[in-house]
């Protein structure tokens, strides 16, 4: 498996509790390199677009309002098999079902306020990275 990139978000429940450094330590210890990172406040339009695949789900409104409720840290992670590796490091969507040692098991508050996002495919990673970063701002 070649080196690839994935897109990550440290969500508002994480920034609110000053967990950026603790979560980044887990990411780096897993062998993923943070090659771009920016702290932003997501606009309503950005959050709606980002999660548009979930537009018909009952939790969509709650999800968009959560993602715009405070600062987030958007990141590009690079490494061997980065998409699948980061999904493993994150753990299951619902922290109650996440494996020991994963970010969501350690830090997430609930299925909604679950601390991190990670792309679910290399194709979606490329689309998500483009939504938040210019190529020149990614330093591999
Ligand atoms: P993410 O896309 O954020 O990395 P995921 O791929 O593990 O998470 P998805 O099914 O894509 O999970 O859901 C996107 C996000 O929507 C979840 O991370 C969570 O914040 C929220 N979410 C998912 N299911 C629920 C639910 N049942 N109730 C409330 N929020 C939910
Ligand atoms: Mg998802």
């Amino acid at each position: 498996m070649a080196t690839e990139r994935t897109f990550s978000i440290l969500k508002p429940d994480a920034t609110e509790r000053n967990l950026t450094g603790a979560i980044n330590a887990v990411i780096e210890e897993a062998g993923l390199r943070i090659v771009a990172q920016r702290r932003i406040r997501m606009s309503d339009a950005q959050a709606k677009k980002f999660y548009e695949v979930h537009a018909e789900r009952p939790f969509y409104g709650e999800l968009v309002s959560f993602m715009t409720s405070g600062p987030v840290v958007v990141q590009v992670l690079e490494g061997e098999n980065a998409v699948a590796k980061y999904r493993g490091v994150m753990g299951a969507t619902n922290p109650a079902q996440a494996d020991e040692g994963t970010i969501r098991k350690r830090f997430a508050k609930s299925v909604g306020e679950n601390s991190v996002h990670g792309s679910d495919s290399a194709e979606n990673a490329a689309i998500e990275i483009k939504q938040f970063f210019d190529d020149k701002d990614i330093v591999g």
Side-chain angles (χ1 to χ4, degrees):
M1 188 83 200
T3 298
E4 66 181 9
R5 287 177 176 170
T6 192
F7 179 70
S8 163
I9 304 176
L10 312 189
K11 296 184 180 183
D13 69 284
T15 60
E16 207 270 329
R17 289 175 289 155
N18 289 346
L19 291 171
T20 301
I23 294 173
N24 279 351
V26 179
I27 289 170
E28 293 187 329
E29 274 157 24
L32 291 164
R33 193 182 303 280
I34 302 164
V35 294
Q37 173 169 260
R38 199 167 71 246
R39 182 172 164 110
I40 62 167
R41 233 174 219 276
M42 235 187 232
S43 69
D44 188 64
Q46 278 178 314
K48 280 182 174 148
K49 179 168 187 254
F50 185 73
Y51 277 122
E52 72 189 353
V53 294
H54 297 305
E56 304 307 318
R57 308 284 285 277
F59 57 80
Y60 181 63
E62 189 188 321
L63 177 57
V64 169
S65 76
F66 167 59
M67 293 302 290
T68 57
S69 68
V72 301
V73 178
V74 290
Q75 305 175 312
V76 180
L77 309 181
E78 187 176 272
E80 280 290 293
N81 207 10
V83 171
K85 182 178 277 186
Y86 190 45
R87 296 285 294 187
V89 170
M90 286 163 50
T93 309
N94 183 346
Q97 279 145 27
D99 289 340
E100 286 301 327
T102 60
I103 292 169
R104 284 167 167 168
K105 179 70 174 192
R106 291 174 63 184
F107 302 117
K109 293 168 81 171
S110 66
V111 65
E113 301 195 12
N114 61 1
S115 304
V116 283
H117 161 81
S119 309
D120 57 14
S121 68
E123 191 188 3
N124 284 337
I127 293 166
E128 292 171 2
I129 289 168
K130 272 206 182 69
Q131 195 184 333
F132 292 95
F133 290 99
D134 291 334
D135 281 345
K136 68 172 171 43
D137 295 324
I138 305 170
V139 183

